[in-house]
Amino acid sequence: MKELEKITPLEQDFSKWYTDVVKQGNLIAYGPVKGTLIFKPNAYGIWELIQQNLNEIFKEKGIQNVYLPLFIPEKLLNKEKEHIKGFNPELATITMVGDKKIDEKIFVRPTSEVLFADLFKNSIESHKDLPIIYNQWANVVRWEKTTNPFLRSREFLWQEGHTCHADPLEARHFTKMMISCYARFLKNFLALPTIIGKKTANEKFAGACSTYTVEAMMKDGRALQSGTSHYLAQNFSKQFDITFKNKFNLTEHVYQTSWGVSTRLLGAIIMTHGDNRGIVIPPRVAPTQVIILELFANKNPKIHELCLELEKDLGRKYRVSLDASDKGPGFKAANAEIQGIPLRLEIGPKDFENKTVTLVRRDNLEKEVVELAKVKDRIGELLDAIHNNLYEQAEKRLNDNTVVVYEDYEQFKAELENRKFVIAPFCCSGKVEEIIKEETGATTRCIPKKFDKPTKSFKCIYPQCKSKTKRFVVFARAY
Amino acid sequence: MKELEKITPLEQDFSKWYTDVVKQGNLIAYGPVKGTLIFKPNAYGIWELIQQNLNEIFKEKGIQNVYLPLFIPEKLLNKEKEHIKGFNPELATITMVGDKKIDEKIFVRPTSEVLFADLFKNSIESHKDLPIIYNQWANVVRWEKTTNPFLRSREFLWQEGHTCHADPLEARHFTKMMISCYARFLKNFLALPTIIGKKTANEKFAGACSTYTVEAMMKDGRALQSGTSHYLAQNFSKQFDITFKNKFNLTEHVYQTSWGVSTRLLGAIIMTHGDNRGIVIPPRVAPTQVIILELFANKNPKIHELCLELEKDLGRKYRVSLDASDKGPGFKAANAEIQGIPLRLEIGPKDFENKTVTLVRRDNLEKEVVELAKVKDRIGELLDAIHNNLYEQAEKRLNDNTVVVYEDYEQFKAELENRKFVIAPFCCSGKVEEIIKEETGATTRCIPKKFDKPTKSFKCIYPQCKSKTKRFVVFARAY
């Protein structure tokens, strides 16, 4: 059980725990350029399942996948001033090819709004061409100063959707539909409860009219923005002159949206479900859902045969692997746990004799002995039970640690200090937001969609601000 | 039928035909940086199906997907001299982040051998850790001077596999197994016949000990290298010091392979199966396999209802789309053809009355009327028939246009001028190869695996070369 000892308890040092879990779970290695990551099979497999499942959902919604270039010429990015301002200090810039200087600087995409804008400009003529609903899976680059595996790296993987609509209402509706779609996906596949809401002006995407977000709570009480959907209005279409002839044959600028989730979600999985034994992967995105451990197979070669048979049979229904190494039971169990595999299936000489197997859940470590004939069905039930249990635990934690503070700024600060999500009346002024951030370390996460706010107005939570407001905002420290 | 007129006949100007097909098939747009491509849904959908199907094959072979960074620091790439020499003039180079110069130049990966080498160095201890069999799907960048959609662009998509073995024989075997695997895949999914063989020293991959290739013949008689597999021996492992303890506990350098196919394959599809009506997509990688055309539906709204029903029902088994636009039958048919959809299903008032549909094949334009009740099964048969027909046509063309020339250099040149693949005895000297290239425009494509060569030695085909050889080599002009 050597590996287990290497994980720092999360109660002791959360960020060290996180790094240990990432490392011990055989998830990543560091790339040779500082701040870049290598996704090993255990991690990349989760991302592939996220892709597969999102692609199915996207298909149902008529979203088409495309691929746009990695490179943005300087003058194209400069067209949208707010946007370039938001990304400029983080842009990886190509100035040479081989030994030769090139004429115009080329940026590695930090996001692709301007590339899509350029494509749309040349593809749309009439309202009959609309809506266009595109998505791409891609790598993007932002030269972050401090990096953290999955959460903030200089290159990361994501999907970014980009749409054009003839009608602003349709575009606004699409923006909101996508954020709900993400919330459902995170719940149903990653067992991740989130708070859906709108970002304040300070926190919205550079170039957007409004940004919606799904915010998750990590085990240390910090928030992780887990997906966003932006209503871009005509901000890009006016700068890039993306027009269409409307039903009255008048020229109009299109209305746009963009939306995405990224490999940050792997960080969300770890910090929501992980424990002191390592990562716990939600079953529906687990590259291996069941690992078969053959125990003491050297004593009876028929155990190995049975395990091979089981691997094949169960493999038709689940993602299964087999640990047929010569390691001891303790090591094998620990190894399965540290890799976060939802379910392990143990077969030793006693099981073999009794025609049973032992199933052990990763989430609560519960064991049960199951007849061989019933194991296939039982696994399906248990995988669902694990998913539900992970979700319920996370939801309870989110609810238990979210508080409403109506008036008292000292209480507001104390709750934040206490690692809570704090919902409070807020004027939404960018300046006040900055001051609160300085005083508490917390940022506004969103104006939550589902919150039974009082009908009367409240004074803004910040004492020196005298505005009255009906808006309640979630504050938290965030990743 | 406006679109059809825009395609230049292939007999008239093959390269213009190609550009027209690419453009009219709604496959790509050009990116804002010269030489970069936008993959629209029609093109990206083919690539996604190539990915899906190769991933299934890879899984069976125990190949695990990973993702490595986009960036290579200068000193890492400089470690393998042959390799860097091969890529240096094409390297996109980052020298700045935002407005600041960075300390060390960073290259955008042209391929990832050195990145994998760096990962392997840190992951392997014992022969028990071997083999490692990784693959990644990624974008790579090579700053080509002249570009051509799919065939040669500054950024392209590919998969690159990288393996480490304890045993050189196992590694050599793996190299050959992968090239056969590609040949089978190209045959079974892209209906693409190829010649498998080994590259000459001149044409092998920079840094490899030997390179195997699958070469396809385009409709203009030129060769397209469609996949490669390299035996790297210990070239990288010695430079990067990738070692393991062998069974006798002695330290040894690992033996490596790498192998890949790219979005070039979309060019291969077009130039192998395309005709004067546009691209013809092989059914197994066609994003839409069957397009339903409702004709004169305004005369009978029940036609539209039936089409919706059919779309849903057939959609359970095939990739189906519906053209319910108000365009005329001629336009709809031409539009389906220009997009290369393997099969179209037409329903007009007469079909509706007779409870039949009309199926039209894209490959040979054959029409047949099928009873509604039998259409689902018939589609499956026809898709297979289309695949087989495309393959057989391409195979016949390849066979008919491959000739053997034993001695006569004038005949050799004439056959090449005549757009043939020419198999000839060749000394394999790099210098002679360069001269032949200058004189004929042809390069060596490979030393074919399946070729019943005479047992006796022949003089090298090049008159001034007096060497005798038993090696027969395929020469052709190539993309």
Side-chain angles (χ1 to χ4, degrees), chain B residues 49-256:
Chain B
L49 285 160
I50 289 175
Q51 283 189 299
Q52 265 176 41
N53 289 302
L54 267 180
N55 267 335
E56 273 179 38
I57 294 169
F58 287 173
K59 207 177 212 173
E60 281 167 24
K61 299 196 182 300
I63 298 168
Q64 294 185 294
N65 284 345
V66 295
Y67 184 78
L68 270 63
L70 180 64
F71 297 131
I72 308 177
E74 186 174 29
K75 65 171 167 293
L76 193 69
L77 195 60
N78 280 337
K79 276 197 182 177
E80 220 291 340
K81 300 298 171 199
E82 280 306 305
H83 188 64
I84 174 81
K85 226 166 52 187
F87 287 105
N88 189 43
E90 300 174 354
L91 292 171
T93 309
I94 293 165
T95 62
M96 296 176 72
V97 168
D99 302 325
K100 287 185 190 143
K101 215 166 169 290
I102 52 174
D103 294 339
E104 188 191 9
K105 281 183 195 165
I106 293 171
F107 301 126
V108 182
R109 63 181 163 213
T111 178
S112 306
E113 271 72 12
V114 303
L115 291 161
F116 276 90
D118 194 52
L119 169 63
F120 291 145
K121 179 184 161 52
N122 300 315
S123 326
I124 300 167
E125 285 175 13
S126 138
H127 65 94
K128 288 184 186 169
D129 300 325
L130 297 173
I132 295 184
I133 305 179
Y134 282 167
N135 172 62
Q136 82 171 350
W137 295 94
N139 52 346
V140 286
V141 171
R142 299 175 188 178
W143 220 258
E144 307 275 2
K145 286 215 176 75
T146 52
T147 59
N148 201 353
F150 301 129
L151 303 175
R152 207 168 280 279
S153 56
R154 289 183 170 171
E155 178 191 9
F156 59 93
L157 306 178
W158 77 349
Q159 63 68 214
E160 48 177 323
H162 297 266
T163 72
C164 291
H165 306 261
D167 175 13
L169 278 179
E170 182 187 293
R172 277 180 191 276
H173 174 77
F174 199 92
T175 312
K176 289 181 191 173
M177 188 275 285
M178 282 313 300
I179 205 69
S180 303
C181 169
Y182 286 146
R184 262 197 318 279
F185 172 76
L186 296 177
K187 177 180 177 176
N188 294 337
F189 289 86
L190 272 52
L192 213 65
T194 52
I195 298 178
I196 304 184
K198 196 174 167 177
K199 287 283 183 190
T200 61
N202 244 29
E203 290 283 326
K204 73 176 164 61
F205 175 68
C209 167
S210 50
T211 290
Y212 295 84
T213 178
V214 278
E215 299 283 328
M217 179 187 278
M218 304 297 99
K219 278 197 171 170
D220 64 347
R222 285 168 80 181
L224 186 79
Q225 177 180 302
S226 303
T228 48
S229 183
H230 315 292
Y231 175 53
L232 305 175
Q234 295 175 312
N235 290 354
F236 286 85
S237 66
K238 284 190 174 162
Q239 296 305 325
F240 287 83
D241 204 28
I242 314 169
T243 59
F244 69 103
K245 294 270 185 203
N246 67 19
K247 283 176 187 163
F248 311 104
N249 210 31
L250 297 171
T251 299
E252 208 178 330
H253 288 98
V254 300
Y255 301 86
Q256 294 185 274

Side-chain angles (χ1 to χ4, degrees), chain A residues 32 37-39 41 44 48 65-67 69-71 88-89 91 93-98 115 134 139 143 155 157, chain B residues 32 37-39 41 44 48 65-67 69-71 88-89 91 93-98 115 134 139 143 155 157:
Chain A
L37 270 196
I38 292 166
F39 288 75
Y44 195 71
E48 283 185 305
N65 284 344
V66 295
Y67 183 77
L70 179 65
F71 297 132
N88 188 44
L91 291 171
T93 309
I94 293 165
T95 62
M96 296 176 73
V97 169
L115 291 161
Y134 282 167
N139 52 345
W143 221 259
E155 178 191 8
L157 305 178
Chain B
L37 271 195
I38 292 167
F39 288 74
Y44 195 70
E48 282 184 306
N65 284 345
V66 295
Y67 184 78
L70 180 64
F71 297 131
N88 189 43
L91 292 171
T93 309
I94 293 165
T95 62
M96 296 176 72
V97 168
L115 291 161
Y134 282 167
N139 52 346
W143 220 258
E155 178 191 9
L157 306 178

Side-chain angles (χ1 to χ4, degrees), chain A residues 247-426:
Chain A
K247 284 177 188 163
F248 310 104
N249 211 29
L250 297 171
T251 298
E252 208 178 330
H253 288 97
V254 301
Y255 301 87
Q256 294 185 273
T257 80
S258 69
W259 27 275
V261 299
S262 76
T263 37
R264 283 203 120 184
L265 291 179
L266 276 74
I269 288 173
I270 295 169
M271 293 193 292
T272 303
H273 305 307
D275 60 23
N276 286 338
R277 291 167 190 249
I279 183 174
V280 178
I281 308 178
R284 291 169 198 168
V285 293
T288 299
Q289 295 176 303
V290 185
I291 186 165
I292 301 169
L293 311 187
E294 54 173 52
L295 306 178
F296 307 109
N298 52 346
K299 293 187 184 159
N300 183 350
K302 287 200 172 160
I303 294 181
H304 178 60
E305 277 169 38
L306 174 62
C307 285
L308 284 175
E309 237 173 76
L310 264 177
E311 186 190 15
K312 204 172 152 188
D313 183 42
L314 297 175
R316 289 194 197 96
K317 200 164 172 189
Y318 311 105
R319 295 182 289 275
V320 178
S321 71
L322 168 63
D323 182 349
S325 68
D326 55 5
K327 295 274 166 51
F331 181 90
K332 286 189 181 189
N335 195 39
E337 283 176 356
I338 211 162
Q339 293 187 64
I341 299 166
L343 209 52
R344 66 180 197 261
L345 186 161
E346 302 181 344
I347 304 185
K350 210 173 117 192
D351 291 303
F352 183 80
E353 215 168 277
N354 299 338
K355 293 194 176 152
T356 60
V357 306
T358 306
L359 291 172
V360 189
R361 287 170 63 155
R362 174 63 183 86
D363 60 331
N364 58 16
L365 307 175
E366 278 176 16
K367 281 189 185 204
E368 64 181 69
V369 176
V370 179
E371 285 172 45
L372 206 46
K374 291 183 181 163
V375 70
K376 202 165 180 176
D377 289 341
R378 187 59 186 147
I379 285 173
E381 290 166 12
L382 284 176
L383 291 176
D384 279 343
I386 293 168
H387 175 89
N388 294 337
N389 180 44
L390 290 176
Y391 182 78
E392 281 156 21
Q393 280 187 21
E395 194 184 34
K396 185 172 185 308
R397 196 165 51 245
L398 175 61
N399 291 338
D400 290 353
N401 291 287
T402 302
V403 297
V404 187
V405 175
Y406 293 94
E407 295 173 332
D408 185 345
Y409 190 61
E410 290 310 311
Q411 188 201 345
F412 174 87
K413 287 201 285 187
E415 297 286 10
L416 285 172
E417 195 57 42
N418 214 2
R419 301 168 174 276
K420 305 283 186 200
F421 277 20
V422 184
I423 303 180
F426 181 54

